Amino acid sequence: MDRANRNMLNWIGIVFVLFPLLLIAGMFLRAIQANTLHSAESWFYPMMTLHGIGMASVWWIAAMAVASHVLSRYVEPSQKVSRFVFYGTIIGVVILLVSVFGGRFAAGWYFLYPLPFKSQGAWPQWATLCFLISLTVCGIVWFIWTVDLLRAIAKKYTLSQALGWHFIRGKSEPDVPPAILITTTALIPAVACFLSAVIVLLLYYYETLTGTRNDELLMKNLTFFFGHLIVNLSLYLAVAAIYDSFPKYTGREWHSGKIVATAWNVVLVIVLLAYFHHLYMDFVQPKSLQYIGQIASYISGIPSAVVTVFGAMAIVYRAPVKWSLGFSLLFFGMMGWGIGGIGAVIDSTIAVNSKFHNTLWVPAHFHSYMIEGLVLMALGYFYHYCQEKANIPENLKFHKLIVWLMLVGGYGFLLMFYLSGAKAIPRRFAFYPAELSHGALFSAIGLVFMTAFLIGLLLYIYETGKRWKKARAL
Ligand code: HEM
């Protein structure tokens, strides 16, 4: 088995282990919010923290594994680096588990300053340090992975070619594949994303060592710059797989060209500015940045989603497509990205945000483009990869059942979040007071839907796992 295959199967394997566990942690949160599991209430916030940072991390590495494999059709990412990052990630995960299960660290996934230092006895300071070290280890190895993929692209293409600027100028040669263009526009901001994380962590370590307080607004801007980017860039990396795999299913070519190049170059700039929408309620934030945040949030959806969704519809329309598990999940994942994006744009409107900020509308929209977007796209590509290697006959009826369970279960779960948000249920509440008791009912119904999703996911892992095993033996 060659190194590239072994690395890809390792990344798929780690996602197949961590995702169901983190999903169950998410169900645990909903179960507490549904007024059950009273004996385990004190674990709500440590589990919320683990779930949030765990999920954002798992889907970042899944998206990077997908992008790295897509890229390997055109350039040569280092397999040694991929292996090094794999073991570095495992070390980071273990340290994170120590900080949560050993120290009950519970400051939330974006550890908003100064909360990690203000535990008021809820967790010891060593747990905070452990959490920061786990982020540092993962941040460094993912930064190295990012730089290596950019190195591989730069070895074959100049920057302007990789970004398709010649297409914008009306030229058609060299015919840079969309996968190269999209991955480059995602990886360049990823460098800024990790640099911002490094600065935040250094400021945390400096305060730990010297006691010098940091500026809250600076820390919040840096943290959300990192958080917003890592989630959105994961999505863009997975979307590169749509452009690269759909031609195989439809038998129709999908080239870059002027529209695709312009759209994704706009994304490269806009994605760096949209994060301001996380600070609308921070009245100390300069007003001009709030306006930039709203304008950038509105623009951000257009180039990436509209060009991709319409492009995909055009390539699929009346094509003789076999709706296998791989293609179906890729297709519906792309749709989920668009649907979640609409929920996000609604929330990124200042007038609306003043009502929806920190209600369950926020988890509703990011879970939409994560669960029914990125997750489905990445799982679709993992199946596509394993099936290409193993080539086992496909039971399309069984596949349809799996897809329906993941769609109905997932969207039912999300609907309960949206309804809760529209009815002013706050996020991050373990218990809902009497005046918000309908929150508990929505949680219980959400849990039932998530059970259907979980069954679909386990059937998916069984079906893909057969192919993964065969691919491993090749
Ligand atoms: C697949 C099943 C999932 C379930 C059942 C689930 C459930 C939940 C619940 C109940 C919350 C707390 C909401 C609140 O009251 O504030 C939550 C928060 C969160 N979830 Fe999920 N989730 C799932 C998938 C995901 C995925 C795929 C991601 C990907 C990134 C994700 C990321 C997060 C984050 C970042 C938070 C916020 C944590 C915080 O506030 O610190 N979840 N999730």
Side-chain angles (χ1 to χ4, degrees):
M1 177 171 44
D2 66 61
R3 264 201 191 147
N5 187 29
R6 189 179 51 220
N7 284 338
M8 185 60 174
L9 292 173
N10 282 347
W11 286 118
I12 295 176
I14 200 174
V15 173
F16 281 7
V17 172
L18 292 179
F19 180 42
L21 292 175
L22 290 165
L23 183 157
I24 290 165
M27 289 178 81
F28 168 80
L29 302 177
R30 283 267 86 176
I32 300 270
Q33 290 171 331
N35 260 337
T36 65
L37 301 180
H38 291 294
S39 58
E41 282 160 8
S42 65
W43 278 101
F44 182 88
Y45 290 104
M47 278 305 113
M48 184 189 82
T49 305
L50 180 66
H51 168 82
I53 192 82
M55 282 291 195
S57 306
V58 162
W59 294 108
W60 165 258
I61 57 173
M64 280 292 276
V66 168
S68 173
H69 181 256
V70 167
L71 280 180
S72 68
R73 293 186 59 218
Y74 310 100
V75 296
E76 286 174 30
S78 159
Q79 295 309 326
K80 277 194 183 144
V81 168
S82 177
R83 198 169 166 77
F84 166 76
V85 175
F86 181 77
Y87 290 110
T89 303
I90 291 181
I91 294 170
V93 169
V94 171
I95 302 173
L96 174 68
L97 293 176
V98 171
S99 98
V100 173
F101 285 108
R104 285 180 175 249
F105 182 76
W109 91 281
Y110 49 70
F111 56 106
L112 190 59
Y113 180 86
L115 187 57
F117 291 139
K118 307 271 179 218
S119 70
Q120 296 178 339
W123 62 85
Q125 279 311 301
W126 68 259
T128 298
L129 198 57
C130 234
F131 181 83
L132 297 175
I133 293 171
S134 139
L135 289 191
T136 308
V137 171
C138 289
I140 291 172
V141 293
W142 297 344
F143 179 70
I144 293 171
W145 202 7
T146 304
V147 172
D148 178 68
L149 295 189
L150 282 170
R151 176 208 55 77
I153 294 170
K155 208 167 169 200
K156 184 168 176 187
Y157 302 97
T158 63
L159 178 66
S160 75
Q161 286 171 344
L163 289 172
W165 292 350
H166 56 292
F167 293 125
I168 299 174
R169 289 195 300 269
K171 292 202 181 118
S172 57
E173 290 298 329
D175 185 14
V176 179
I180 295 285
L181 199 155
I182 296 166
T183 313
T184 310
T185 58
L187 292 172
I188 293 174
V191 172
C193 165
F194 289 118
L195 282 179
S196 155
V198 167
I199 297 169
V200 166
L201 290 166
L202 285 176
L203 289 171
Y204 264 107
Y205 290 130
Y206 183 68
E207 179 162 340
T208 308
L209 293 172
T210 65
T212 315
R213 286 200 50 125
N214 286 300
D215 177 87
E216 283 83 356
L217 187 63
L218 171 68
M219 293 296 270
K220 187 164 185 178
N221 272 282
L222 288 167
T223 308
F224 277 98
F225 182 75
F226 162 71
H228 175 86
L229 280 178
I230 199 161
V231 167
N232 283 280
L233 298 177
S234 308
L235 275 159
Y236 298 153
L237 289 170
V239 168
I242 299 278
Y243 284 77
D244 209 61
S245 60
F246 272 30
K248 289 183 194 152
Y249 289 99
T250 60
R252 296 172 180 167
E253 287 299 310
W254 196 347
H255 290 282
S256 301
K258 201 172 196 165
I259 296 174
V260 172
T262 311
W264 285 95
N265 275 276
V266 170
V267 167
L268 192 156
V269 177
I270 290 290
V271 76
L272 296 167
L273 300 173
Y275 90 92
F276 290 128
H277 61 224
H278 293 280
L279 287 97
Y280 285 158
M281 295 304 119
D282 295 275
F283 47 83
V284 286
Q285 179 85 331
K287 220 177 214 173
S288 53
L289 298 182
Q290 309 291 37
Y291 296 146
I292 294 173
Q294 176 157 320
I295 296 165
S297 306
Y298 269 62
I299 296 175
S300 69
I302 300 166
S304 50
V306 174
V307 169
T308 307
V309 172
F310 278 94
M313 297 301 266
I315 208 176
V316 170
Y317 184 63
R318 292 201 169 167
V321 173
K322 189 168 83 174
W323 287 83
S324 69
L325 190 53
F327 180 75
S328 307
L329 291 178
L330 282 161
F331 183 84
F332 288 114
M334 179 190 59
M335 293 304 168
W337 171 45
I339 293 166
I342 295 167
V345 169
I346 292 172
D347 187 41
S348 73
T349 315
I350 295 174
V352 176
N353 192 263
S354 62
K355 302 278 180 307
F356 278 174
H357 194 82
N358 276 348
T359 70
L360 278 173
W361 188 278
V362 179
H365 74 72
F366 73 68
H367 279 97
S368 301
Y369 51 69
M370 295 312 267
I371 301 176
E372 295 297 325
L374 174 56
V375 169
L376 295 192
M377 287 192 272
L379 294 182
Y381 195 80
F382 287 166
Y383 176 89
H384 166 84
Y385 176 85
C386 294
Q387 173 59 11
E388 238 181 19
K389 296 275 173 202
N391 199 16
I392 293 178
E394 294 175 299
N395 177 347
L396 294 186
K397 266 218 176 94
F398 183 46
H399 288 185
K400 222 177 243 170
L401 170 71
I402 295 174
V403 174
W404 273 113
L405 281 168
M406 294 177 88
L407 290 177
V408 173
Y411 279 109
F413 172 77
L414 296 168
L415 180 64
M416 292 307 122
F417 266 157
Y418 279 112
L419 291 176
S420 304
K423 296 213 175 265
I425 305 285
R427 67 179 295 198
R428 292 181 156 172
F429 269 42
F431 327 107
Y432 300 120
E435 61 274 25
L436 297 173
S437 58
H438 46 291
L441 178 64
F442 288 136
S443 308
I445 302 172
L447 212 48
V448 174
F449 277 113
M450 188 35 66
T451 310
F453 181 93
L454 178 60
I455 295 169
L457 175 69
L458 295 176
L459 293 176
Y460 161 89
I461 292 177
Y462 164 74
E463 194 61 4
T464 312
K466 281 192 292 188
R467 290 159 173 84
W468 182 88
K469 229 170 130 197
K470 189 170 172 201
R472 222 183 156 80
L474 291 175

